[in-house]
Amino acid sequence: SWVADALPLTVYAQAVVDSLTPSQGPGRGGTVVLVQGSGFAASGLPAKEMRCRFGTTVQPTPPVLIDDGSLQCVSPWGPAIPGGVPVTVALNGQSFAGGDAASRFDYYGLHRPRLLDVRFPPLPTLLIVQLDGQPTTRAGMNGVQPCSILLDEPTVAQLRGGSASEPGCLWTDGDTIQVQIDIYTAAAAGMTVGLRDGVLWPSQWDYPAECGSDPCGCAAIADADSYCNVGQSLDVDPVSPCDVRATPETVEQCERPVAVVQAPALISSCAGTQLTLDASRSTGVGALFFSYRAAPDETDNWELVQPALDAASGQGRSRVTLRAEDLERDGSPGTVFSFEVRVTDFLGSVSEPVAVAVARSAEPIPTLMIEAPATVRMRKSQSRRLLATVLLSGCSGEGSIEYEWSVLPGGSGAPIIDLASAAGETRFQRALMLRGAALPTGTVGTLRCTACVVGTPHCASVDVAVVLVNEPLQSAIAGGDRRVGADRPLELDACHPAFGGPDEPTVVLSYAWSCFHAPIDAPDAPLPCGLPAPATCGGQGGAGI
């Protein structure tokens, strides 16, 4: 079915701004500005839709339209910056035009501190509160201090959520505050962030001495003459909570969580066997919520399985165990099960779905899993513990379990993992201790754990991939910082890079040295200084001076 509809479309020429009178005014705003140009009344749009914009700040009320070539705007607050800010006009309140060199407005003097942006960084471990660039008193804060000094009560309560203590705030520069949040926060996309009234003012404000240290509560200062912050709040973008308002041409996105799911590839044929889906290794910031879905066409007894998964999804559990009654119906235990898992973080970002397929063996084998990601990535300097877990069903036997870890054949030219060297006797134990130092450079291999019930032919196996990643090379000067006399030589030794050097022992390193000295009268302006030719060590060129 379809429905016919029509929407009116108005096409008009953009207005042109030629000049401003006056072309400057105080930073607090309130200057009546005569804007001259053309096309202000030719569109036929309602005058109430028209707006003036000074820089990025839009006048909240319509300008006074005089005729097609003239209108009056009232300047909002603005920063004192070289060259001023462009003044533009939008006949529909949204599409602004104008703003050439002849239509710029110069602000001078101070203004009340303004809240320009509230957002989360791409990795949303904190909240960023952004003020305009005018230096302020920073609410008297130094270092990390309780956010209640700066932010209003509703904001602090939401940021705190269920945490035992209120969040801390840190000024990272003159106009940026980082709000520290933890896993218990109730912060969310679309939340309102407000400042406490009267806690910020320009640091250059020369207010009357009789007001002491608090000009915002001083009766000697009329409200019209005050530079204290009042009524400042902004909403985090409800759709893109990591978007930066200062870059409207780009929509910055938050990093999405990553779902990681572990499940046995095979479960026992025994009646009463359970199946566990473990998504606890999923990654993301803050509280994570999990949703589980069984594929109707690829899951036996789907009518029983999905309601059990729905109950777990409603509770946001990272680990779900499907009982026998969730898998079996009327004597039919089900032989194939297909699942899809998604993870959602506290801002509503959703991971890519991860699919997991599980089959029921025709034999009463133990149910075997490895408590590790499907691909284990490690460095030469690391050791990893790979733990196998076994679940015995009623008909699998009750004997002890024998474990054996082995290496699957790799592709042509792939380095061979010597498990006897890399894991020792733990290759015959439930927990394999894998030493990165014993893995050959470029390792990309697959390990297999086999678990058998002693005295029976019932065995299960599961695989895990192992990848040796590059060790980050970090330079280090032996002995660190030091003081020396003017008449004593200074020897610097970088022959031994931090963290053991590169993965490949035969690689040749190159070194580059530079030197700067800071004059006593200008310590923030270091000057280059000469260096002697560097010495060598261990066959490496230029490692010491």
Side-chain angles (χ1 to χ4, degrees), residues 80-84 104 106:
I81 58 176
R104 300 183 74 85
D106 286 299

Side-chain angles (χ1 to χ4, degrees), residues 402-413:
E402 286 185 343
Y403 299 90
E404 182 175 0
W405 295 77
S406 58
V407 180
L408 297 185
S412 176

Side-chain angles (χ1 to χ4, degrees), residues 136-485:
T136 72
T137 55
R138 303 190 183 188
M141 300 172 69
N142 185 22
V144 179
Q145 291 194 260
C147 287
S148 57
I149 298 174
L150 176 67
L151 305 180
D152 61 24
E153 290 184 10
T155 301
V156 173
Q158 184 167 3
L159 291 170
R160 179 173 182 171
S163 180
S165 58
E166 75 169 80
C169 281
L170 172 68
W171 289 78
T172 58
D173 55 38
D175 55 8
T176 307
I177 305 100
Q178 290 184 351
V179 181
Q180 301 173 349
I181 54 178
D182 60 24
I183 193 173
Y184 304 105
T185 184
M191 70 174 292
T192 299
V193 177
L195 303 179
R196 289 182 56 197
D197 287 347
V199 295
L200 289 174
W201 58 88
S203 56
Q204 299 177 350
W205 183 17
D206 186 18
Y207 58 83
E210 62 190 88
C211 294
S213 61
D214 183 16
C216 299
C218 182
I221 302 176
D223 182 67
D225 298 325
S226 176
Y227 290 104
C228 296
N229 72 295
V230 176
Q232 288 290 296
S233 66
L234 275 179
D235 292 344
V236 176
D237 192 299
V239 177
S240 302
C242 297
D243 186 36
V244 180
R245 279 180 168 85
T247 58
E249 68 282 357
T250 304
V251 178
E252 290 79 7
Q253 300 294 337
C254 303
E255 291 188 15
R256 300 171 67 182
V258 177
V260 178
V261 186
Q262 293 175 273
L266 291 173
I267 60 175
S268 174
S269 63
C270 299
T273 297
Q274 297 181 341
L275 169 58
T276 297
L277 303 176
D278 185 357
S280 61
R281 292 182 179 272
S282 300
T283 60
V285 175
L288 300 179
F289 305 90
F290 303 83
S291 62
Y292 304 85
R293 189 183 73 87
D297 299 332
E298 302 173 19
T299 302
D300 291 342
N301 301 331
W302 179 86
E303 297 81 0
L304 297 176
V305 174
Q306 188 58 52
L309 295 178
D310 290 341
S313 299
Q315 299 174 27
R317 288 152 48 190
S318 63
R319 186 182 178 97
V320 178
T321 297
L322 297 173
R323 303 164 299 171
E325 52 265 38
D326 300 325
L327 302 171
E328 305 171 9
R329 180 178 62 181
D330 299 331
S332 173
T335 58
V336 293
F337 308 92
S338 180
F339 306 99
E340 188 177 86
V341 183
R342 285 183 170 88
V343 180
T344 304
D345 66 17
F346 74 107
L347 292 179
S349 296
V350 183
S351 71
E352 292 289 340
V354 173
V356 178
V358 180
R360 190 184 292 273
S361 173
E363 302 293 331
I365 63 172
T367 299
L368 176 64
M369 291 176 57
I370 296 178
E371 293 187 1
T375 299
V376 174
R377 303 180 185 276
M378 58 187 301
R379 298 189 173 113
K380 282 274 191 180
S381 60
Q382 296 176 323
S383 293
R384 292 293 297 270
R385 179 174 181 261
L386 306 182
L387 181 65
T389 60
V390 166
L391 177 65
L392 290 176
S393 299
C395 67
S396 298
E398 298 182 355
S400 58
I401 302 294
E402 286 185 343
Y403 299 90
E404 182 175 0
W405 295 77
S406 58
V407 180
L408 297 185
S412 176
I416 303 301
I417 299 176
D418 182 356
L419 207 56
S421 172
E425 290 302 311
T426 65
R427 67 188 188 278
F428 301 114
Q429 299 173 9
R430 176 189 175 196
L432 181 79
M433 293 299 300
L434 192 63
R435 298 186 305 111
L439 297 178
T441 300
T443 291
V444 179
T446 301
L447 302 182
R448 170 166 291 177
C449 178
T450 301
C452 298
V453 180
V454 175
T456 75
H458 306 147
C459 299
S461 62
V462 64
D463 300 339
V464 60
V466 176
V467 176
L468 188 68
V469 298
N470 289 332
E471 191 80 48
L473 182 62
Q474 299 186 34
S475 60
I477 297 176
D481 296 339
R482 71 209 71 180
R483 294 178 180 272
V484 296

Side-chain angles (χ1 to χ4, degrees), residues 48-72:
K48 65 179 182 180
E49 302 293 338
M50 189 183 302
R51 291 292 185 275
C52 296
R53 184 174 68 181
F54 288 67
T56 59
T57 305
V58 179
Q59 184 184 23
T61 57
V64 176
L65 180 62
I66 300 174
D67 53 40
D68 187 67
S70 304
L71 55 82
Q72 284 183 339

